[in-house]
Amino acid sequence: MGLKNHNPLDNIQYRILDKNGIVLKEEDLPKFTDDELMYLYRTMIFSRIIDEKALSYQRQGRMLTYAPNIGQEAAQVGSAYAMEKNDWLVPAFRELGSWLVKGVPLRNIYLYWYGNEWGSYMPEGIRLLPVSVPIASQLQHATGIAMASNIKGEKDVTVAYVGDGGTSEGDFHEALNFAAVFKAPVIFVIQNNQYAISTKGSLQTASKNYALKAIAYGMPGILVDGNDIFAMYKATKTAIDRARNGEGPTLIEAYTYRLGAHTTSDDPTKYRDDSEVEEWKDKDPILRYRIYLMNKGLLTDEIDESMKKELEEEVASIFESIENKSDTEIEDIFKYHYEVMPPQLEEQLNEYKSFLEGGK
Amino acid sequence: MANTLNIVQAINQALMNEMELDNTVVVYGEDVGVEGGVFRATVELQKKFGNTRVFDSPLAESAIVGTAIGMAINGLKPVVEMQFSGFVYPAFNQIISHVARMRNRSRGRYTLPMVIRAPYGGGIRALEHHSESMEALFAHIPGLKIVIPSTPYDAKGLLIAAIRDPDPVLFWEPKRIYRAFKQEVPEEAYEIPLGKAKIIDEGTDITIVTWGAMVRDVQKAAEMVKAKGIKPEIIDLRTIAPMDRDSFVESVKKTGRILVVHEAPKTLGVGAEIISIVNEKAFLYLEAPPTRLTGFDTTFPLPRGEQHYIPSPERIAKTIEDVVNY
Ligand SMILES: Cc1ncc(C[n+]2csc(CCOP(=O)(O)OP(=O)(O)O)c2C)c(N)n1
């Protein structure tokens, strides 16, 4: 079955690469160069290492609360790689792989989780919004950005992310409805990682899947194996091409699994069995892609090892460059609320500074 | 029988007691069932009372509060949880437009005996939206009650009173001190009346009004100034709305000075209301300008800046001295 005829009501995941690294649909396989294939691998590995290191720093008391992406790398990297440079990316908070593809410096990402607002300051030329903690609220912004592209007659497309839990918020419904009514060039990617903290999908929706919700909004919906980087790329690229062509929004459900905890404050053993996690480890998105690259002769154990070593060193050195050097400047707490600081704010800042200086 | 509990445990026990005593009490919200809440305030409830009365809901605050309104109209007493007070805003429409108004709109025909609980306040080095203190937003709305306890004993008694109250109550729990200390708490149910403040330290020189996690910081500051001969009277407001005005008005008549300490931003905060009341009712007793020490009029900073935001015991002590020595 090709992508075109893929109906979410059939509840079948669109898949190109199976869990053993075997290509199921040669005709759908994206035509990537060897360099591109290796870039995708490297980015997924980079994402995994950033997570693993952050978790270990957190355990050592060197990092604050952290939300890992482990298991969701293909859903993120595959979808983001389908974007053009000028396309907008609107994240929730668990899209590390997509941020890396967009070109966000790791320093920013770590600075954010390290508890400093400057982590959310995007370098010029990167069209990515900051993390949006209030679940699903960001989807409205995505629709608005896409509507503005239409109004301005520009061809940029917006890709927005949300979790399975986020689909229950009213904001999800409103954003999708607006997008469809106004034919906004926006792609909504649901990372269905099976859990919203401890809450299972069956407590989130009575639908067979999330992709089919698209039907009611009047937009295409597609259920994708989110652990298959090729399928994620292909589905997103197809949706982006459609949107750029003036045909409106698409809803993509990336069926995946959060292999780690919700965040470092969470203990998943309280609500799920290890056997379930083990089963999903077998479907690890990096595993199958690694086999594919090895079969293709692009990757060897030696290349893999040295790539990982190099990335680990890079991650460690970036973390060390922010560690213990990232306290917030007092002025920064006050400075960015308005273009011009109102007098009462200035007064509060000065009072506080003079308290710190031991004055009156 | 008494047991020694921290604030979360006391809240959990209050829920246990009331669910046992009154089978119209139901508890739901995000992750409150299987997991027992992200702070474990509802732990063991589902095991004990089953998943009809204690359940995980879809991730939708507006629906959690909106359905609680319906349940309350139809004979139940829902106690719903907002995972953090910073995530109550999707439900703001339901709270302002309906929770606060149903009794008045229906001229008493429909009442809403419901409680909305939420962990509240800063100081736990959390991500954005997990630290703010926005009680003034709700205290401003006619028809709402809002309670903020500061000890395990009070938390239990106030929560039980809130559940039994015929009107809707927002119960904001200071998460910074959820596990900070333990106290003797009776095992059985008891009530602490809503709308009553508590004098927790008697003094003659200055009245300090505070609530929630700031109470302990004020107590620390009081110890510092006592060493310098200043005797503060500390009032834990406990219920923000409706406010126990007599508590601080009478106190100011004795001390002649008032300082309000809160974590929330200053401008149009609860402190402004308290000082207005003092000006209206005890103006001629004042010996120094009524003063506020509060959070800044800024967004609550991420962890690398949060130590600046919450008034420290040292800053409180310094302000007490400034007011007393005016
Ligand atoms: C409006 C709102 N309510 C509650 C929360 C607390 N919270 C943070 S993450 C989360 C679960 C999100 O689940 P999902 O959308 O599936 O994304 P995932 O965490 O699985 O990536 C919740 C309830 C929040 N951030 N925002």
Side-chain angles (χ1 to χ4, degrees), chain A residues 72 92-95 132-136 162-167 169 191-197 199 204 258 262-263, chain B residues 30-31 59-61 83-84 86-88 90 128-130:
Chain A
Q72 300 178 223
F93 61 95
R94 200 191 302 280
E95 288 85 18
S132 176
V133 175
I135 300 296
V162 68
D164 42 305
T167 64
E169 291 278 9
Q191 291 198 76
N192 175 9
N193 65 7
Q194 317 291 327
Y195 288 91
I197 310 189
T199 306
Q204 216 60 253
R258 192 192 77 212
H262 170 69
T263 67
Chain B
E30 293 153 16
D31 305 293
L59 207 178
E61 292 77 10
Q83 201 158 75
F84 287 84
F87 302 132
V88 66
E128 200 185 347
H129 307 286
H130 292 72

Side-chain angles (χ1 to χ4, degrees), chain A residues 64 114-115 117 134 165 168-169 196-199 203-204 266 270 326 328 334 337 345 348 352 355 359-360, chain B residues 31 35 40 58-61 83 87 125 127-130 296-299 301-305 308 315 318 322:
Chain A
L64 303 171
Y114 199 67
E117 283 81 354
S168 297
E169 291 278 9
I197 310 189
S198 72
T199 306
L203 288 167
Q204 216 60 253
D266 173 49
K270 290 216 155 40
S326 302
T328 301
F334 292 81
H337 284 76
L345 219 48
Q348 290 176 16
Y352 182 61
F355 165 77
K360 274 289 290 177
Chain B
D31 305 293
E35 188 181 41
R40 309 278 181 259
L59 207 178
E61 292 77 10
Q83 201 158 75
F87 302 132
R125 320 195 86 198
L127 294 168
E128 200 185 347
H129 307 286
H130 292 72
F296 307 126
D297 288 349
T298 69
T299 299
L302 293 185
R304 299 296 161 192
H308 298 299
R315 258 177 93 200
K318 162 101 173 34
D322 288 350

